[in-house]
Amino acid sequence: MKKQNVSMIVELLQKGVKIPNPKSVEIGEDVLTDRISGKGVTLYSGCKIYGGSTFIHNDSQLGYEGPVTVQNCQIGPNVELKGGFFKESVFLAGASMGSGAHVREGTILEEHANCSHTVGLKQTILFPFVTLGSLINFCDCFMSGGTSRKNHSEVGSSYIHFNYTPNKDKATPSLIGNVPNGVMLNQKQIFLGGQGGLVGPCCLAFGTVIAAGSIYRKDELRPGRLLLESAARGGSIPFAPGLYQTIKRIVVNNIAYIANLSALKQWYMRVRPLFVSDELPKPLLDGLEHNVNIAIAERVSRFKELCLNMPESISMYIGSLDGNPIDLLIRQKQELYENCSELESVFYEFGTVQGDLRLRDSFLENLHSDIHESEEDYITVIKGLLPENAKTGSRWLQGIVDSCFNKALCIIPLFR
């Protein structure tokens, strides 16, 4: 064991970190030991901790079920990462993941979100209480809904979010619930039944239930629907990667996703800081803002790749038809490609959209009063908002989403 590693482990032990088998634990040279709490933190055998921005807060446990590697993650109080690999992700109070996890950048698990064993996440945001079963790949999506640990949105075991297409693009983010209403923690839960899958990009309303065994490929914007998909009819039809027989739904859903992330960024900048405390210290808040920016950059990059595929797609499309091609589809593809740079710039400008300041300030003023009177944590205060105050906050955030969405469609009016 390197002397540097020995000295850092000794320092952690002296400050109160529990390390049952110190010789099995590796601490990277860039780790700042003052960002690891000495109160109730346990590093079990096989833990490897790397990265200067890593932060581990009170009473968190790493590696109880198997070895854990953490790189530049921000880990809140009472978090359990039981086994696996975790990189550039944020875990708020009470979040947990079972063994065999593989979690990469752009991922946020808010309070009490939890996953069982063998779950893969990347560019994924789970709002409070959202629960994922076992053997799940759930990358490039956002999920909200539910009000408590007993009334939560859930993804059944052996589920996959299909986030790569035969057209060789990843413009596939799925919006399961939404930000403006989801943040209020007062919406009906969403259930995605096990042994199934969702083909991105999709948008699903609150209260949606997808039956077990279904592979769902559509949007459902009506709340409270049970969706059943039977096995696809067998057959063999011509297929050419990159052709894109339709493009509007893909583009619209991607814009809606980025617009929702922009609203979430404002929530993290304006609302979450009001709750900075021992439960949500500043390093966790910084991690939230950093990761939502990572998520936005990822979606903009993937959208740009889609735009740049259009010239080849137009050529393939024209060459594939015996009769007259559909003029609107060709013009949509041309419009998307020609305005790619402008769209990219506007997407990054979304992050500065603050919405209706009158609604925002009214909501924040009421929120200040609630925090001052109750001195409760984030979950308790948000769940305790008066219905009219929650509606004001949702209208503020929805205004941000709508403003961003309309700005983009002004550039590509053929997608309206």
Side-chain angles (χ1 to χ4, degrees):
M1 186 181 294
K2 294 181 179 179
K3 289 184 178 180
Q4 174 78 13
N5 194 59
V6 172
S7 64
M8 296 178 83
I9 289 176
V10 168
E11 184 177 346
L12 292 175
L13 288 168
Q14 288 176 341
K15 70 188 295 187
V17 177
K18 299 175 184 177
I19 309 178
N21 188 1
K23 290 185 177 180
S24 74
V25 172
E26 181 177 340
I27 308 295
E29 294 181 1
D30 52 351
V31 171
L32 303 176
T33 54
D34 60 355
R35 289 172 65 89
I36 300 177
S37 172
K39 181 183 176 183
V41 170
T42 303
L43 305 180
Y44 290 99
S45 298
C47 284
K48 294 182 284 187
I49 314 297
Y50 305 126
S53 67
T54 289
F55 175 82
I56 304 175
H57 203 29
N58 299 343
D59 301 308
S60 290
Q61 297 187 28
L62 278 62
Y64 182 73
E65 295 180 350
V68 159
T69 298
V70 166
Q71 180 178 346
N72 288 320
C73 292
Q74 293 78 49
I75 299 169
N78 297 293
V79 169
E80 294 184 39
L81 304 181
K82 298 178 182 179
F85 176 81
F86 306 89
K87 177 183 178 183
E88 293 184 36
S89 299
V90 181
F91 305 88
L92 298 188
S96 68
M97 296 203 67
S99 59
H102 195 260
V103 180
R104 290 172 284 168
E105 59 274 7
T107 295
I108 297 171
L109 270 67
E110 293 199 2
E111 288 87 351
H112 307 290
N114 63 100
C115 308
S116 295
H117 70 79
T118 325
V119 172
L121 305 176
K122 174 179 67 65
Q123 303 292 341
T124 299
I125 299 174
L126 305 180
F127 266 16
F129 314 120
V130 173
T131 297
L132 274 59
S134 302
L135 303 170
I136 289 173
N137 188 313
F138 208 62
C139 299
D140 297 295
C141 45
F142 164 90
M143 190 168 189
S144 60
T147 61
S148 68
R149 286 291 294 117
K150 290 185 177 181
N151 178 37
H152 57 264
S153 290
E154 182 159 349
V155 181
S157 295
S158 299
Y159 202 89
I160 182 168
H161 177 249
F162 296 97
N163 65 327
Y164 185 73
T165 78
N167 292 318
K168 295 174 283 189
D169 72 68
K170 294 190 76 173
T172 53
S174 287
L175 196 62
I176 306 164
N178 63 49
V179 169
N181 296 296
V183 293
M184 298 305 167
L185 307 179
N186 61 3
Q187 298 297 307
K188 291 183 177 180
Q189 67 268 36
I190 298 168
F191 183 81
L192 309 182
Q195 291 284 343
L198 188 66
V199 181
C202 282
C203 293
L204 300 178
F206 293 106
T208 297
V209 175
I210 298 182
S214 298
I215 305 295
Y216 204 74
R217 296 172 169 84
K218 305 171 186 176
D219 299 330
E220 181 50 80
L221 303 181
R222 298 169 295 177
R225 307 289 292 189
L226 171 63
L227 311 179
L228 303 97
E229 284 285 297
S230 58
R233 185 176 60 185
S236 175
I237 60 175
F239 175 77
L243 181 62
Y244 294 100
Q245 296 283 7
T246 181
I247 195 72
K248 181 176 179 178
R249 176 175 169 272
I250 298 172
V251 169
V252 167
N253 282 4
N254 271 266
I255 294 172
Y257 195 93
I258 297 170
N260 271 265
L261 289 181
S262 300
L264 182 59
K265 180 176 179 177
Q266 288 297 316
W267 184 263
Y268 284 165
M269 292 174 62
R270 305 289 178 179
V271 176
R272 282 286 189 171
L274 302 178
F275 295 89
V276 168
S277 63
D278 192 54
E279 187 89 351
L280 183 71
K282 192 172 185 303
L284 286 178
L285 180 65
D286 293 341
L288 290 175
E289 293 187 23
H290 176 69
N291 272 267
V292 78
N293 285 330
I294 289 176
I296 291 171
E298 171 72 6
R299 298 276 55 95
V300 174
S301 173
R302 297 300 185 180
F303 189 89
K304 183 177 180 179
E305 290 176 0
L306 175 71
C307 295
L308 297 179
N309 286 343
M310 291 303 102
E312 182 181 0
S313 176
I314 293 170
S315 178
M316 292 175 64
Y317 181 69
I318 293 174
S320 69
L321 299 176
D322 295 330
N324 294 325
I326 301 174
D327 180 59
L328 176 59
L329 181 56
I330 294 175
R331 289 190 293 118
Q332 283 177 331
K333 292 178 179 180
Q334 288 174 331
E335 183 178 71
L336 187 63
Y337 174 71
E338 291 169 0
N339 292 282
C340 178
S341 295
E342 187 175 357
L343 283 168
E344 182 181 12
S345 298
V346 166
F347 286 150
Y348 283 118
E349 291 174 5
F350 282 5
T352 64
V353 175
Q354 299 184 47
D356 187 322
L357 299 185
R358 179 182 59 83
L359 290 174
R360 184 198 71 184
D361 292 346
S362 174
F363 174 71
L364 292 179
E365 182 178 352
N366 289 325
L367 189 60
H368 271 291
S369 298
D370 290 342
I371 295 171
H372 178 71
E373 291 175 5
S374 65
E375 296 184 356
E376 296 284 359
D377 60 71
Y378 172 81
I379 294 290
T380 304
V381 171
I382 297 300
K383 282 172 58 68
L385 289 173
L386 294 175
E388 56 267 32
N389 293 344
K391 288 179 181 178
T392 298
S394 292
R395 287 171 58 204
W396 161 50
L397 294 173
Q398 188 61 51
I400 294 173
V401 172
D402 293 343
S403 176
C404 294
F405 190 80
N406 290 328
K407 282 188 179 202
L409 290 188
C410 283
I411 299 170
I412 47 173
L414 291 177
F415 289 84
R416 286 190 178 276

